[in-house]
Amino acid sequence: MSAERSFHMTPDEFRRYGYAVVDWIADYYKRIESFPVLSRVEPGQIRAALPPQPPTYGEPFEAMLKDVEELILPGLTHWQSPNFFAFFPANASAPAILGELLSAGLGVQGMLWATSPACTELETHVLDWLVDMLALPDKFKSTGSGGGVIQDSASSASLCALLAARERATGYRTNAHGCDGRLVAYASSQTHSSIEKAVKIAGLGRENLRIIEVDEKYAMRPEALARQIAEDKRAGLVPCFVCATVGTTSSNALDPLPEIGQICQQEGVWLHVDAAMCGTAALCPEFRYIHNGLELADSYCFNPHKWMFTNFDCDCFYVADRATLINTLSVLPEYLRNKATESGAVIDYRDWQIPLGRRFRALKLWFVIRHYGVEGLRYHIRRHVELAHAFASWVEADDRFELAAPVPLNLVCFRHKGGDEANLKLMERLNRSGELYLTHTRLGERIVLRFCVGQTNTERRHVERAWSMIQSMADEW
Ligand SMILES: *Cc1c(COP(=O)(O)O)cnc(C)c1O
């Protein structure tokens, strides 16, 4: 073997196979409705089809693409199917996919401003755009004392918020000496499980997470929050963090931000607002009421990777006071020292997140916003909400079914009146059909089916067909 020999793909091969992959993806979207939405493989089935050993010698690219088709496709649940109504959307779009490809192609690592100024500055710029696009409070803009950053997920954003809250409450003593067991955090019984995880990771201890009760609409009761904070203070504890949710995962409930925010201000407690899926709705002026009271929050996050056509991962995390976040997370070893950082004139996003390294995620977000324009995004969000509301009206008109929670936006919680068992069997039958995928939750004591509209290519015909399948299977259990 000569010293010149390389195993790399040549630029011309890359071009050829790159076109083939793009063709494959375009064809995938064309035929996506022909696959069962929920994968039918058994545990271990995919691994059993894969060779036990890695190849000693490189293989042709065609073989890989063929295996994607034959071995991988059957093991996929098709999140991009227009018949996907489960959990929450993770909707992708062509401009996002191309932005992601460019990000991979450029391969930059944006941990510091200096390691790729465009990676940082585009991110700051697009996140400031989004403050205007969603009409968020101006204090979240980088031009003031706050700013936004892209995180991998709402879970990470909430963890960063909790860590900053912890340090603010203890004058950075927890960073220095560790937790003393007196810090307390608050969330409702409907809050996403990522908050409990964050409380565990941040060292507060799960027993120092107070679960606040909800009202009949599954929204946090502010008076219960105030009562619990007062009780904890009397016991010598230190309330430091409240998470309020705009659009809870189970039922899309909207916690009352003005009342919760006022309590947090009075008590000096950090308010984090988690709007992972529903924040996107604020693109449309008629839905901006969901953020009433957000001006009282210390931090906020929403996920373009859920409902804004930006493929996973992309969470936008905002803080009102970036200094607290940066002081919480910053460490500066010698090997990262550089003039730009020392000048104080730049943002180093490594100090705004848990990992050091970071991808160039702003590209895909920038592409999505530029491709659709604000009006294009609004158009699709409005269609989704209209479809969810149409579905809800059909549920209401069928006396075998009932709505199980209010439907403010794109999620319908409903149930067959025949009881928990009936609903679970109905869901299983529907999902086994492969024609659609929906999931369930528990609200109060009852099992409830969730129908979430938000896939990029979901149209009225998909929702109509889903409802007619639900109706026709409703009596088969
Ligand atoms: C989906 C969801 C999350 C978790 O989002 P990740 O980005 O996957 O961490 C958190 N909170 C709410 C309200 C959600 O809907």
Side-chain angles (χ1 to χ4, degrees):
M1 193 167 69
S2 90
E4 302 294 317
R5 169 82 197 265
S6 148
F7 295 95
H8 301 309
M9 200 180 264
T10 66
D12 283 335
E13 285 169 336
F14 174 75
R15 194 185 311 280
R16 190 160 78 245
Y17 299 134
Y19 291 155
V21 168
V22 171
D23 281 343
W24 191 93
I25 296 171
D27 290 339
Y28 172 67
Y29 278 86
K30 277 196 167 168
R31 62 198 171 119
I32 197 165
E33 287 180 58
S34 69
F35 305 116
V37 186
L38 177 63
S39 173
R40 290 175 169 159
V41 300
E42 298 294 332
Q45 189 179 326
I46 302 298
R47 287 202 67 178
L50 296 170
Q53 304 295 332
T56 303
Y57 300 103
E59 300 180 68
F61 192 81
E62 290 84 352
M64 300 176 216
L65 210 45
K66 180 165 169 286
D67 283 351
V68 168
E69 178 76 32
E70 292 174 5
L71 305 182
I72 302 300
L73 254 188
L76 296 184
T77 289
H78 298 279
W79 282 74
Q80 302 311 317
S81 166
N83 296 310
F84 184 101
F85 303 105
F87 306 108
F88 41 78
N91 63 16
S93 67
I97 295 165
L98 295 174
E100 184 80 66
L101 178 60
L102 264 177
S103 169
L106 297 172
V108 304
Q109 210 274 42
M111 58 188 181
L112 301 169
W113 177 88
T115 61
S116 255
C119 180
T120 294
E121 293 196 17
L122 182 66
E123 184 163 329
T124 308
H125 201 72
V126 169
L127 269 83
D128 279 354
W129 274 4
L130 278 163
V131 171
D132 289 335
M133 288 168 67
L134 303 187
L136 302 177
D138 262 353
K139 65 178 180 180
F140 290 139
K141 274 195 186 164
S142 68
T143 43
S145 60
V149 57
I150 300 179
Q151 302 262 344
D152 56 0
S153 64
S155 304
S156 296
S158 298
L159 173 59
C160 289
L162 176 57
L163 294 171
R166 186 188 75 183
E167 294 314 303
R168 192 177 77 177
T170 61
Y172 302 93
R173 278 199 309 277
T174 309
N175 264 352
H177 305 295
C179 245
D180 66 2
R182 290 165 62 228
L183 294 169
V184 186
Y186 305 80
S188 90
S189 59
Q190 301 297 306
T191 303
H192 191 265
S193 55
S194 54
I195 298 300
E196 181 183 342
K197 200 178 203 176
V199 163
K200 294 205 283 184
I201 296 170
L204 269 67
R206 202 178 44 217
E207 297 198 344
N208 289 325
L209 173 63
R210 301 283 183 262
I211 306 300
I212 305 302
E213 64 190 86
V214 293
D215 63 17
E216 67 294 340
K217 291 177 167 176
Y218 305 102
M220 187 191 285
R221 286 188 187 276
E223 67 284 2
L225 173 68
R227 222 181 307 122
Q228 184 65 53
I229 289 178
E231 190 179 311
D232 288 330
K233 280 183 141 178
R234 275 197 303 277
L237 301 175
V238 182
C240 75
F241 177 84
V242 172
C243 178
T245 309
V246 170
T248 58
T249 310
S250 263
S251 74
N252 242 347
L254 306 165
D255 287 341
L257 301 185
E259 290 82 358
I260 294 171
Q262 210 173 8
I263 295 166
C264 291
Q265 295 255 304
Q266 267 162 19
E267 303 289 346
V269 174
W270 185 292
L271 174 59
H272 175 63
V273 174
D274 174 5
M277 176 170 73
C278 293
T280 299
L283 286 166
C284 308
E286 67 272 30
F287 301 133
R288 287 185 182 155
Y289 71 90
I290 63 175
H291 286 150
N292 284 349
L294 188 59
E295 64 281 0
L296 300 170
D298 294 285
S299 55
Y300 170 83
C301 73
F302 86 106
N303 287 354
H305 73 222
K306 273 184 169 159
W307 197 16
M308 216 181 87
F309 312 104
T310 309
N311 64 291
F312 192 85
D313 51 355
C314 184
D315 165 275
C316 294
F317 175 50
Y318 291 95
V319 289
D321 173 26
R322 62 177 176 269
T324 307
L325 179 69
I326 293 168
N327 288 339
T328 297
L329 297 177
S330 179
V331 279
L332 188 59
E334 185 57 36
Y335 49 80
L336 292 179
R337 288 187 190 277
N338 66 90
K339 273 203 190 119
T341 296
E342 264 143 41
S343 77
V346 301
I347 288 177
D348 291 323
Y349 275 128
R350 70 182 188 105
D351 295 332
W352 296 55
Q353 61 173 23
I354 308 290
L356 170 63
R358 57 201 327 274
R359 315 195 299 116
F360 196 170
R361 296 191 192 89
L363 266 181
K364 62 185 175 188
L365 193 51
W366 190 44
F367 277 21
V368 166
I369 294 169
R370 293 185 65 185
H371 170 83
Y372 286 94
V374 176
E375 278 304 330
L377 293 170
R378 282 180 183 151
Y379 172 86
H380 289 287
I381 296 305
R382 285 181 177 132
R383 293 294 86 76
H384 289 158
V385 175
E386 280 166 20
L387 292 173
H389 287 171
F391 183 93
S393 72
W394 304 334
V395 169
E396 280 187 300
D398 185 328
D399 57 16
R400 293 168 297 176
F401 290 93
E402 61 189 355
L403 291 181
V407 184
L409 296 165
N410 63 329
L411 172 66
V412 183
C413 289
F414 70 108
R415 67 195 309 270
H416 191 286
K417 290 175 182 168
D420 287 355
E421 189 75 350
N423 282 284
L424 289 173
K425 280 194 175 148
L426 173 59
M427 177 177 73
E428 200 187 301
R429 186 157 299 167
L430 287 162
N431 291 343
R432 214 178 327 121
S433 78
E435 302 288 329
L436 80 170
Y437 182 26
L438 51 74
T439 48
H440 78 286
T441 190
R442 184 179 288 278
L443 286 178
E445 295 300 299
R446 304 188 309 180
I447 294 287
V448 160
L449 303 183
R450 294 169 77 266
F451 189 85
C452 194
V453 183
Q455 263 321 315
T456 305
N457 296 307
T458 296
E459 294 170 11
R460 191 173 178 92
R461 65 186 168 94
H462 301 106
V463 178
E464 283 175 349
R465 201 170 64 107
W467 175 240
S468 82
M469 289 197 61
I470 292 167
Q471 282 191 305
S472 70
M473 290 189 181
D475 292 321
E476 284 178 26
W477 54 278

